[in-house]
């Protein structure tokens, strides 16, 4: 089980590292995509990172010409919005 604190700590470390080839936007998109498979992890991602930061990551990926990352990010955004709608009772 992944804690919200653990997700925050990992993403903060990734965002500030300069010794990695992973761009910060890619780390956010990667975590968003990976977290979709586990409800607790997905909730932790939304709480600690937020969909607005995921939207920003998608925009940066698009600006950087990383179409694959941008598409994965858009798919994750769509899934999280669907989760939110279902949780609000909109999926009936």
């Amino acid at each position: 089980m992944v804690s919200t604190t653990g997700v925050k700590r990992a993403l903060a470390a990734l965002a500030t590292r300069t010794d990695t080839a992973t761009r910060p936007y890619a780390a956010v998109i990667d975590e968003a995509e990976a977290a979709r498979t586990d409800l607790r992890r997905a909730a932790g991602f939304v709480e600690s990172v937020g969909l607005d930061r995921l939207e920003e990551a998608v925009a940066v990926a698009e600006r950087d010409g990383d179409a694959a990352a941008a598409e994965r990010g858009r798919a994750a955004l769509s899934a999280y919005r669907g989760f939110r709608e279902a949780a609000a009772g909109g999926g009936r």
Side-chain angles (χ1 to χ4, degrees):
M1 179 176 323
V2 177
S3 71
T4 301
T5 303
V7 172
K8 284 183 183 180
R9 190 175 19 244
L11 287 172
L14 285 171
T16 58
R17 285 180 59 183
T18 57
D19 64 336
T20 181
T22 303
R23 296 185 179 266
Y25 73 79
V28 171
I29 292 170
D30 289 348
E31 179 57 26
E33 185 176 48
R36 288 171 40 191
T37 62
D38 179 273
L39 184 57
R40 289 180 194 263
R41 188 172 173 186
F45 176 83
V46 171
E47 182 180 321
S48 65
V49 179
L51 297 186
D52 51 342
R53 185 150 176 218
L54 179 54
E55 289 172 346
E56 291 171 18
V58 169
V60 173
E62 289 172 340
R63 281 194 304 272
D64 279 2
D66 191 344
E71 181 56 36
R72 290 186 306 110
R74 283 191 293 275
L77 273 170
S78 178
Y80 283 108
R81 288 177 179 142
F83 297 159
R84 184 175 280 169
E85 183 179 331
R92 294 180 191 195

